[in-house]
């Protein structure tokens, strides 16, 4: 077939092109429609978001409008000249008009001249530094004034303009109350001044009466404090000053001494030469003894021909020197008067020879007797004070079962029998003179004797001990009918290096029937190896640890865990010491501790035996 034969007519070619263009146009239109639908969907989402935003804005605007128009305080907007640009209904009511009457009016038209200056200063300050400012002014409302408090803040307006927004509160009632308070205070001050003047007059009269009474008492006291025959202090005054000297030495340390001086043959002088001569000689002896002592020492007429000297802040060597000066002074009087006056002196030192005046006088009298019997005219007591149960006081504090609130036993505690010294001071006193060990042994024996009384039978007695005491005292069997628990402080365990020897010592006491407790746990360095090896019957948690657990949640959690672990290393339980408040008791119970002691349950006191 030739080309001429295959050639298509022109209208057929045109139809084919049109069909192809139509198909292309339809495809493009479909894509455009699809894009339009996508854009339309996006626009609908945006419109929905705009509608939601507009609804929120309307809701916010409605809420703001309610807050603004319904606010109970005045809300103003001022320009820099003080013109009112906007005001809410409460503010218009404060001004005594309608909003449309007040807007665009200068705020100063409602103020007095003085308050206009105050307001302008306040406004200028706000525009100047932009900080929140406050001032008080008086507002004219009709024919009366009311007090107002203004609090202003700088705000930005449209196109960068700046305005002052002010909240105004009517404080008239508060001002009236303040004025009433001022008036009452002024009235009260007047009454106080009047009463003060009356009291001063009364006090002056009382002071005059007191001064007169003191003069009379001093005169009577002087008459009672001095011996009329010799001019020396009286025996009555000695008791007062001796107690004061004991208190001073206990507080500051040191030593004082009592010297008893006896004039032998003085009665013979009186009988031979007469009472008047005897009195003159005794006065001269008294004067010479005063001259031979220091200004701080005190000289007393003791009895008959005896004179006592209280040497303050002295020592054994000082006593010897003072006694020798007194002996030489009396010897000089004997030579001058040609009267035989041999003198003997006995001395005792505090606290070396005793802790009471009676004990010192007793030893000084015995020393005086030895001086009279021997060749030496001066004798100083050389024996230590013999301790007995009268030298210690015993009190007992209950140990409580926290589940039943009943006592399961008592801790025995040592006290000063006179109630003047703290426990550390009492122990320090005996440590200074080398009798601390003897004191501890006495306390142990005395407290152990208490355990044998019927009142303690069937219970427990906790005794404070240390390794040195257990090592020095003879092993004994535990009394029958009561558990005796030997308390060893944690600090005591931490101080000793040779802990194995002391563990062996403790086991010997256990073999005698005694139980063992670690005392003051938590107050020391934490001797966990000692706890693990000893396996105590009880562990007593120190009060200082308990207080820290009350104030620190972190330490409280740690202590909870620690108590849980330590319970496995005791055979009878844990005891919380020093519980004083219900809060501390609640904490202890939450930790699972079943035993406790402290002021909340009872203070240490003497117990009456049945």
């Amino acid at each position: 077939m030739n080309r001429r034969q295959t050639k298509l007519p022109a209208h057929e070619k045109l139809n084919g092109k049109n069909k192809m263009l139509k198909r292309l146009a339809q495809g493009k239109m479909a894509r455009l429609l699809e894009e339009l639908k996508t854009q339309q969907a996006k626009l609908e989402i945006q419109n929905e978001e705009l509608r939601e935003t507009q609804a929120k804005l309307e809701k916010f605007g409605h809420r703001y409008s309610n807050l603004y128009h319904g606010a109970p305080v005045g809300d103003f907007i001022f320009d820099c000249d003080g013109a009112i640009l906007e005001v809410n209904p409460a503010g218009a009511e404060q001004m005594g008009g309608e909003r449309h009457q007040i807007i665009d009016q200068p705020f100063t038209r409602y103020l007095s001249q003085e308050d206009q200056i105050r307001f302008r200063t306040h406004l200028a300050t706000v525009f100047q530094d932009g900080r929140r400012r406050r001032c008080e002014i008086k507002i004219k409302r009709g024919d009366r004034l009311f007090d107002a408090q203004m609090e202003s803040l700088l705000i930005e307006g449209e196109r960068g303009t700046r305005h002052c927004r002010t909240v105004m509160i009517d404080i008239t009632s508060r001002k009236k109350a303040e004025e009433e308070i001022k008036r009452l205070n002024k009235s009260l001050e007047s009454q106080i001044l009047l009463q003060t003047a009356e009291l001063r007059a009364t006090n002056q009269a009382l002071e005059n009466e007191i001064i007169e009474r003191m003069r009379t008492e001093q005169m009577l006291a002087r008459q009672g404090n001095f011996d009329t025959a010799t001019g020396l202090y009286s025996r009555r005054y000695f008791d007062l000053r001796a107690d004061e000297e004991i208190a001073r030495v206990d507080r500051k340390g040191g030593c004082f001494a009592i010297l008893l001086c006896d004039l032998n043959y003085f009665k013979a002088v009186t009988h031979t030469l007469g009472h008047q001569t005897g009195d003159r000689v005794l006065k001269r002896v008294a004067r010479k003894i005063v001259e031979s002592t220091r200004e701080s020492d005190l000289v007393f007429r003791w009895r008959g021909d005896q004179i006592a000297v209280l040497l303050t802040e002295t020592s054994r060597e000082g006593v010897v020197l003072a006694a020798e000066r007194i002996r030489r002074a009396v010897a000089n009087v004997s030579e001058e008067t040609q009267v035989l006056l041999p003198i003997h002196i006995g001395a005792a030192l505090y606290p070396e020879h005793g802790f009471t005046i009676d004990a010192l006088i007793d030893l000084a009298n015995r020393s005086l007797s030895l001086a009279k019997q021997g060749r030496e005219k001066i004798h100083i007591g050389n024996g230590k004070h013999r301790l007995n149960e009268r030298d210690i006081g015993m009190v007992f504090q209950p140990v409580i079962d926290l589940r039943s609130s009943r006592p399961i036993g008592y801790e025995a505690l040592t006290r000063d029998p006179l109630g003047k010294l703290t426990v550390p001071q009492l122990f320090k006193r005996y440590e200074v003179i080398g009798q601390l060990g003897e004191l501890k042994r006495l306390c142990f024996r005395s407290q152990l004797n208490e355990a044998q009384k019927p009142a303690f039978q069937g219970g427990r007695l906790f005794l404070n001990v240390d390794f040195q005491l257990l090592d020095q005292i003879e092993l004994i069997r535990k009394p029958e009918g009561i558990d005796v628990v030997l308390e060893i402080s944690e600090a005591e365990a931490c101080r000793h290096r040779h802990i194995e020897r002391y563990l062996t010592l403790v086991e010997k006491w256990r073999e005698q029937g005694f139980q063992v407790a670690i005392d003051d746990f938590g107050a020391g360095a934490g001797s966990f190896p000692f706890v693990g090896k000893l396996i105590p019957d009880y562990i007593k948690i120190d009060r200082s640890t308990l207080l820290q657990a009350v104030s620190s949640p972190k330490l409280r959690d740690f202590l909870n865990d620690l108590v849980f672990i330590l319970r496995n290393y005791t055979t009878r339980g844990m005891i919380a010491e020093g519980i004083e408040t219900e809060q501390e008791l609640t904490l202890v119970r939450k930790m699972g501790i079943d035993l406790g002691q402290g002021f909340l349950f009872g203070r240490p006191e003497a117990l009456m035996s049945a």
Side-chain angles (χ1 to χ4, degrees), residues 16-35:
K17 290 181 179 180
N18 288 337
K19 289 180 181 180
M20 184 170 25
L21 290 172
K22 188 175 182 180
R23 284 195 298 271
L24 290 173
Q26 287 176 345
K28 189 172 184 181
M29 286 297 291
R31 287 194 300 275
L32 289 173
L33 286 172
E34 191 64 33
E35 290 179 2

Side-chain angles (χ1 to χ4, degrees), residues 120 161 214 255 361 411 452 484 505 513:
R120 288 194 181 96
T161 59
M214 287 177 63
C255 173
I361 293 174
E411 179 179 0
Q452 302 178 50
V484 180
L505 177 63

Side-chain angles (χ1 to χ4, degrees), residues 537-604:
D537 297 280
Y538 299 93
I539 293 179
K540 302 185 75 174
I541 303 297
D542 187 70
R543 172 167 173 75
S544 62
T545 303
L546 182 61
L547 289 178
Q548 293 180 59
V550 170
S551 60
S552 171
K554 183 178 292 187
L555 181 60
R556 193 181 312 147
D557 293 339
F558 171 76
L559 191 58
N560 278 329
D561 295 339
L562 183 60
V563 167
F564 178 78
I565 295 171
L566 289 176
R567 277 203 300 263
N568 296 324
Y569 288 89
T570 65
T571 61
R572 295 179 179 265
M574 310 280 290
I575 303 174
E577 294 185 292
I579 301 174
E580 296 185 2
T581 66
E582 290 292 340
Q583 181 185 10
E584 295 166 3
L585 176 59
T586 300
L587 175 64
V588 168
R589 282 174 169 161
K590 286 182 178 179
M591 288 191 293
I593 298 177
D594 296 328
L595 301 175
Q597 67 182 101
F599 290 168
L600 185 64
F601 311 113
R603 291 181 176 271

